[in-house]
């Protein structure tokens, strides 16, 4: 399954209206403790022999390429966020409890009605080109976001962004936005240098950030090379300036087997995957002590079939219900899923604090065939194309094709290159897609994808990709983001889940798993402590679960 990519909202939690932090030094150790625990999901890492060491070059094999690094224009999926967070810093990041904490920002405060937020920047931070990070840079970035066809839809609730003084920026909302800091943890929270945004087309291939690494070279579909930023503002607990690595080379390697083979041979020092068969192999290799691995333990993404509700036959609830009833999720996971993931009946796992049990249709191929036959008598055969993004989706497509055709549907399948696949989806150039999305810590980050007014007609770029328009969902989403009362938010998201099960805009398959694999000499694999000393979420905590910061990764020889 492929991953939704595009811009992206973030992660976080309902925190207090005011949040502060310490300075740029990072208390705590960034070295691994050597974790080995029970259960296949547990981390297996090698304990560091000593304190982190500076130096070394790391090669990271990524699942895909990214179209560029202008956060106001380019679509950042897993790879985009991974590399982007090496070059840029986010204004906020997620702690181990799922709450946003200041990062490039020093603090933030809100008015009592959550309609005004003031973000205070850290003093003395510079971009890679020597420009200073200040309020003007933040205002410039958000003005570009507001004009962007891609990211503008995410922040339509922002009325004005104004400079208060050199280090303070005021955000004025149209409606209360109690969870606004969640926006600041990923693509919408990174601040490029004004020089980048003023360059040709926003200089998407020449990013200038404040991050731990700066761009050396980039050849699309071949490699992106970054080197240590010697003027980076963060230090570790011992006063050593971060980052530790001298250089990182990111290589786009779409084939899961090729990434794993390269990790085993030492060609790559790190990689990531969500493909079941590869995860099983990584778990086995880590258990034998051949490699290390860390798995995401936060909110998972969901694997599902994304439907274009503007196109027949999916404008008819009967066919959507027939699809849900035609797929045996347990059998799918045991087959193409390689027994790794858990079956999904909604957007949250049962262990999630947001989960609500609904009446999502059970597996019933006989009932599905009756609905297909009924539709066919009225409107003709049920015919459509099911697409997948990238060669790794072939097995999934073939499984779905067999299951759906067994109920009388006529299904063609098509594998599409991932970037093209995403662009086609945003434009509505699809009928049904194998899809993976929504691993955010806080559900408000999904607002943009589910909100009805963001459903644009086919042919226009739409962040509500399935073109699902549901007033009950819209009302619940607005209510959930206007308060920090957890009980009230849970009630609102229960309505969203119930509506999804009643109207079936998404055909749920499984809750995905992301795994980081690393060579035996890599240390600091998971996210290290935050600038204020808080323990960070292990991996994820941006817009996608399979991402992590490389600021405190180091090599031990």
């Amino acid at each position: 399954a492929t991953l939704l990519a595009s811009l992206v909202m973030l992660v976080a939690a309902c925190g207090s209206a005011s949040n502060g932090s310490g300075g740029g030094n990072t208390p705590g150790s960034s070295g691994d403790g050597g974790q080995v625990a029970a259960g296949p999901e547990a981390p297996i890492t090698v304990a560091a022999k000593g304190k982190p060491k500076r130096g070394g070059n790391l090669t990271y094999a990524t699942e895909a390429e990214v179209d560029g690094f202008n956060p106001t224009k380019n679509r950042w999926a897993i790879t985009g966020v991974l590399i982007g967070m090496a070059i840029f810093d986010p204004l906020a990041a997620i702690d181990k409890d799922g709450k946003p904490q200041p990062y490039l920002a020093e603090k933030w405060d809100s008015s009592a009605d959550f309609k005004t937020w003031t973000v205070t920047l850290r003093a003395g931070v510079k971009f890679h080109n020597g420009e200073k990070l200040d309020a003007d840079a933040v205002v410039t970035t958000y003005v570009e976001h507001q004009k962007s066809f891609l990211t503008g839809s995410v922040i339509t609730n922002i009325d004005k962004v104004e400079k208060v003084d050199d280090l303070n920026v005021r955000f004025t909302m149209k409606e209360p936005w109690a969870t606004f800091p969640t926006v600041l943890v990923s693509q919408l929270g990174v601040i490029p240098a004004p020089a980048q945004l003023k360059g040709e087309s926003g200089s998407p291939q020449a990013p200038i950030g404040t991050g731990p690494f700066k761009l050396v070279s980039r050849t699309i579909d071949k490699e992106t090379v970054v080197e240590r930023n010697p003027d980076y503002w963060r230090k570790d607990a011992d006063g050593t300036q971060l980052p530790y690595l001298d250089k990182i080379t990111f290589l786009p390697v779409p084939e899961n087997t090729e990434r794993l083979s390269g990790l085993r041979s030492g060609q790559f020092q790190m990689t990531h995957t969500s493909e079941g068969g590869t995860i099983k192999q990584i778990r086995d290799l880590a258990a034998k002590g051949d490699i290390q691995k860390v798995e995401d333990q936060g909110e998972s993404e969901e694997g599902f079939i994304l439907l274009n509700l503007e196109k027949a036959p999916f404008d008819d609830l009967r066919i959507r219900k027939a699809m849900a009833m035609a797929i045996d999720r347990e059998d799918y996971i045991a087959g193409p899923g390689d027994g790794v993931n858990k079956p999904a009946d909604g957007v949250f796992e049962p262990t999630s604090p947001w989960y609500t049990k609904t009446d999502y249709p059970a597996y019933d191929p006989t009932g599905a065939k009756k609905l297909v036959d009924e539709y066919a008598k009225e409107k003709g055969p049920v015919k459509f194309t099911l697409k997948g993004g990238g060669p790794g989706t072939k097995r999934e497509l073939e499984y779905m094709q067999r299951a759906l055709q067994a109920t009388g549907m006529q299904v063609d399948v098509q594998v599409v290159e991932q970037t093209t696949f995403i662009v086609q989806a945003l434009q509505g150039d699809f009928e049904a897609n194998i899809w993976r999305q929504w691993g955010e810590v806080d559900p408000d980050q999904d607002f943009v994808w589910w909100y009805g007014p963001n459903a644009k007609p086919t042919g226009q770029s739409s962040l509500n990709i399935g073109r699902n328009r549901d007033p009950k969902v819209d009302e619940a989403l607005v209510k959930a983001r206007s308060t920090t009362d957890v009980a009230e938010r849970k009630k609102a998201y229960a309505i969203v889940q119930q509506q999804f099960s009643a109207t079936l805009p998404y055909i749920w398959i499984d809750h995905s798993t992301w795994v980081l694999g690393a060579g035996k000499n890599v240390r600091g694999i998971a996210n290290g402590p935050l600038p204020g000393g808080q323990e960070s979420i292990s991996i994820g905590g941006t817009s996608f679960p399979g991402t992590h910061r490389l600021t405190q990764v180091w090599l031990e020889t």
Side-chain angles (χ1 to χ4, degrees), residues 320-333:
R320 303 198 296 271
K321 186 173 183 180
M323 289 189 74
M325 297 165 68
I327 298 170
D328 185 338
R329 289 162 283 163
E330 296 278 3
D331 184 65
Y332 166 82
I333 291 169

Side-chain angles (χ1 to χ4, degrees), residues 254-328:
E255 287 286 353
N256 284 286
T257 54
E258 188 176 344
R259 295 203 302 278
L260 180 58
S261 175
L263 180 65
R264 296 184 68 178
S265 69
Q267 179 186 2
F268 315 133
Q269 284 75 55
M270 293 195 76
T271 191
H272 57 190
T273 187
S274 62
E275 193 273 325
T278 308
I279 290 174
K280 287 182 69 174
Q281 293 182 70
I282 287 177
R283 286 174 174 174
D284 290 344
L285 290 168
K288 295 175 183 176
D290 294 338
I291 62 172
Q292 304 175 85
K293 63 101 177 177
V294 177
E295 302 192 21
D296 197 311
Q297 298 297 312
E299 288 283 349
S300 65
E301 292 178 305
E302 278 60 59
F304 57 100
I305 299 178
L306 174 68
L307 306 175
N308 188 338
L309 271 59
E310 289 190 337
K311 293 188 176 184
F314 305 117
D315 54 353
D316 192 303
L317 177 59
R318 291 174 295 181
I319 298 306
R320 303 198 296 271
K321 186 173 183 180
M323 289 189 74
M325 297 165 68
I327 298 170
D328 185 338

Side-chain angles (χ1 to χ4, degrees), residues 105-118:
E106 184 175 22
K107 66 177 182 177
W108 51 71
D109 297 280
S110 78
S111 59
D113 62 0
F114 301 113
K115 293 186 72 173
T116 302
W117 287 83
T118 300

Side-chain angles (χ1 to χ4, degrees), residues 31-43:
D32 292 331
Q35 299 168 299
V36 180
E41 300 87 3

Side-chain angles (χ1 to χ4, degrees), residues 149-150 152-154 156 306-311 425-428 430 438 446-471 473-474 477 500 505-506:
F149 81 94
L150 182 66
S153 296
V154 180
T156 53
L306 174 68
L307 306 175
N308 188 338
L309 271 59
E310 289 190 337
K311 293 188 176 184
L426 291 168
Q427 295 291 323
F430 75 101
W438 302 327
D446 297 317
F447 184 103
V448 62
W449 314 115
W450 299 339
Y451 191 50
N454 287 344
K456 307 302 181 183
T458 295
Q460 296 182 25
S461 187
S462 175
L463 295 181
N464 183 329
I465 301 174
R467 279 69 179 170
N468 180 43
R469 300 172 178 87
D470 187 330
V473 169
D474 295 345
L477 291 174
F500 284 170
Y506 315 109

Side-chain angles (χ1 to χ4, degrees), residues 349-378:
E349 292 190 63
T351 55
S352 168
W354 306 106
Y355 177 79
T356 295
K357 186 171 179 57
T358 66
D359 294 325
Y360 185 78
Y363 174 57
D364 181 4
T366 302
K369 190 174 189 312
K370 289 180 180 179
L371 290 172
V372 171
D373 291 343
E374 180 183 310
Y375 177 96
K377 288 179 182 179
E378 294 180 17

